[in-house]
DNA sequence: GGGCCCGCAGGG
DNA sequence: CCCTGCGGGCCC
């Protein structure tokens, strides 16, 4: 019987092989000058700001960094004219993705503990959910658009899935896969599976299909649980990704802070551009029942801005941008 | 850390 | 209407 880590390593090795077998030419290790760091453009738009009803930045007292910080990650592009005036207070201040409850999300939370109050988080007239930067009459619903969302640069960053959804980059609040008729529109890498491999320019991804967990009263109110059955390509989400392989439609990819990879942002969710799915297969997943999972191999389309790479050892440390690295001596520990 | 309630979006 | 899904927050 293999231990968890042995099994994981075996899976990872297999996933790496598959990625390698795709014979994709890796982008050269272009180490971009720090400037290239995309999107230092703060200027969060309203959409993004007004967004979460839950957490709203009350006033400026919270952290006042951001401004000059090169690591400002808010990257909305927005035509200035289109830009809606900022409700003050929310304007600047990078809001954090309370990745860990108990962090200085301070006043943010609190403001609205109206958890039970069902009300739109964004005023009706502002919540197109179609990509606010292009919200004009007649503009298409970008939630169902393949490829880039107008006005959203590669490298754009959001504190939460909710905000990302508001900009139509990845519609589901929870789901990792946004399915469409000719393939998935977008996916989210959030570190849900330990044996997924992320090399930046390519990665393997595990499909959907898990039980929900809950209590007696609310049997399925939790969004995750242990794998308790085999995943299949009949599942709509997996089917969509399989279809992506056939159609070659580009898929928007966002990486989240929970992703255990040097390509994951240290906070929030970042749009890393377009990828295509090259291959799909099934394998025994990393779960105690040995249940099968559906897997997919993604490869990044060329000609896009480089991905930000996190300085591992330091974590929160600095981030530099490169567009693909050979070395991936990502210290395996355990 | 874990437990649990509360969301939304999309598809059936 | 129902259900699901690599969230998020709060409480312990």
């Amino acid at each position: 019987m293999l231990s968890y880590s042995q099994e994981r390593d075996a899976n990872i090795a297999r996933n790496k092989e598959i990625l390698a077998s795709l014979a994709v030419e890796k982008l050269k290790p272009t180490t971009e000058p720090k400037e290239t760091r995309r999107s230092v453009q703060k200027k969060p738009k309203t959409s993004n700001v007004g967004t979460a009803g839950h957490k709203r930045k009350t006033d400026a007292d919270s952290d006042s960094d951001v401004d000059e910080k090169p690591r400002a990650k808010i990257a909305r592009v927005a035509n200035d004219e289109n830009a809606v005036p900022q409700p003050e207070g929310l304007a600047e201040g990078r809001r954090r993705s309370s990745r860990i409850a108990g962090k200085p999300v301070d006043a943010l939370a609190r403001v609205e503990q109206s958890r039970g109050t069902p009300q739109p988080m964004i005023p009706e007239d502002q919540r197109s959910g179609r990509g606010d930067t292009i919200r004009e009459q007649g503009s298409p619903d970008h939630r169902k658009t393949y490829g880039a969302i107008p006005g959203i640069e590669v490298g754009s960053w959001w504190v939460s899935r909710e905000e990302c959804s508001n900009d139509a980059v990845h519609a589901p609040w929870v789901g990792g896969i946004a399915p469409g008729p000719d393939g998935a529109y977008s996916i989210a890498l959030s570190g849900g599976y330990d044996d997924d491999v992320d090399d930046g320019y390519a990665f393997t991804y595990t499909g959907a299909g898990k039980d929900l967990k809950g209590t007696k009263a609310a049997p399925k109110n939790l969004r995750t649980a242990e794998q308790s059955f085999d995943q299949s390509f009949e599942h709509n989400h997996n089917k969509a990704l399989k279809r992506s392989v056939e159609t070659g439609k580009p898929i928007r990819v966002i990486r989240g802070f929970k992703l255990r990879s040097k390509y994951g942002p240290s906070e929030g969710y970042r749009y890393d551009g377009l990828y295509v799915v090259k291959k799909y297969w099934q394998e025994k997943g990393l779960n105690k029942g040995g249940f099968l999972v559906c897997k997919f191999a993604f490869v990044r389309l060329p000609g896009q801005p480089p991905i930000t790479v996190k300085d591992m050892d330091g974590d929160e440390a600095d981030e530099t941008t490169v567009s693909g690295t050979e070395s991936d001596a990502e210290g395996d520990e355990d």
Side-chain angles (χ1 to χ4, degrees):
Chain A
M1 195 56 172
L2 295 176
S3 71
Y4 177 84
S5 64
Q6 286 175 313
E7 205 161 331
R8 182 198 59 193
D9 290 348
N11 282 11
I12 287 178
R14 187 174 344 120
N15 279 249
K16 284 193 172 181
E17 271 178 47
I18 290 174
L19 288 184
S21 77
L22 297 177
V24 183
E25 59 246 67
K26 305 183 178 181
L27 308 177
K28 11 185 196 333
T30 324
T31 312
E32 303 274 339
K34 293 222 173 170
E35 305 337 302
T36 339
R37 180 191 313 270
R38 321 213 84 278
S39 63
V40 192
Q41 210 165 128
K42 58 215 152 212
K43 182 85 185 213
K45 299 200 47 291
T46 314
S47 56
N48 161 44
V49 189
T51 226
H54 319 297
K55 43 202 173 185
R56 184 160 337 168
K57 178 157 245 174
T58 25
D59 29 342
D61 71 287
S62 23
D63 42 19
S64 52
D65 49 294
V66 119
D67 268 351
E68 289 304 315
K69 294 295 189 89
R71 48 188 309 234
K73 298 157 181 162
I74 304 202
R76 218 42 64 58
V77 184
N79 320 321
D80 283 322
E81 42 203 7
N82 251 0
V84 198
Q86 210 71 74
E88 73 285 349
L90 300 181
E92 77 278 334
R94 79 157 195 280
R95 299 170 316 133
R96 359 181 32 124
S97 67
S98 51
R99 68 194 290 173
I100 300 172
K103 259 208 157 170
V105 189
D106 43 19
L108 257 175
R110 234 4 86 170
V111 185
E112 163 170 350
Q113 62 284 58
S114 56
R115 298 176 64 77
T117 321
Q119 58 170 25
M121 311 214 165
I122 298 177
E124 196 56 33
D125 61 329
Q126 288 176 28
R127 50 178 323 194
S128 68
R130 304 175 176 191
D132 296 86
T133 51
I134 42 76
R135 176 162 33 76
E136 288 147 21
Q137 3 343 28
S139 70
D141 184 345
H142 286 283
R143 284 171 297 193
K144 300 191 188 316
T145 291
Y146 284 101
I149 302 299
I152 304 294
E153 280 186 20
V154 169
S156 292
W157 178 90
W158 298 265
V159 278
S160 69
R161 287 279 299 268
E162 176 187 353
E163 294 191 355
C164 182
S165 177
N166 287 336
D167 279 339
V169 172
H170 184 62
W173 277 36
V174 177
I177 304 166
D182 295 321
Y185 297 115
S186 56
I187 63 140
L189 275 79
S190 208
Y193 296 84
D194 282 340
D195 51 352
D196 279 336
V197 171
D198 184 11
D199 283 336
Y201 65 93
F203 60 86
T204 59
Y205 189 80
T206 302
K210 275 211 289 196
D211 268 341
L212 297 187
K213 193 168 52 178
T215 57
K216 301 72 166 159
K220 301 196 171 191
N221 61 339
L222 294 184
R223 305 288 79 120
T224 55
E226 283 295 315
Q227 196 71 42
S228 60
F229 57 86
D230 291 341
Q231 291 186 354
S232 93
F233 291 103
E234 293 311 302
H235 187 296
N236 202 37
H237 295 186
N238 300 335
K239 193 186 296 178
L241 284 178
K242 179 180 171 187
R243 181 107 178 92
S244 292
V245 176
E246 300 157 4
T247 64
K249 288 281 192 186
I251 298 177
R252 292 184 295 276
V253 169
I254 62 171
R255 282 187 170 83
F257 66 91
K258 286 189 250 175
L259 180 60
R260 292 177 292 279
S261 141
K262 57 184 174 183
Y263 302 99
S266 32
E267 288 184 275
Y269 296 85
R270 187 188 62 218
Y271 170 54
D272 279 345
L274 304 175
Y275 288 68
V276 289
V277 192
K278 294 293 229 188
K279 186 182 175 94
Y280 63 89
W281 71 98
Q282 250 184 340
E283 67 181 34
K284 192 164 145 241
L286 258 190
N287 53 67
K288 338 191 222 287
F291 298 105
L292 297 175
V293 293
C294 294
K295 302 218 60 165
F296 305 88
F298 284 70
V299 174
R300 196 166 193 248
L301 291 175
Q304 303 183 83
I307 305 175
T308 296
V309 176
K310 181 162 56 185
D311 233 342
M312 251 6 200
D313 42 62
D315 192 40
E316 299 289 335
D318 206 10
E319 296 182 357
T320 51
T321 76
V322 301
S323 50
T325 0
E326 275 288 331
S327 60
D328 48 70
E330 216 149 294
D332 275 344
E333 69 314 294
D334 84 300

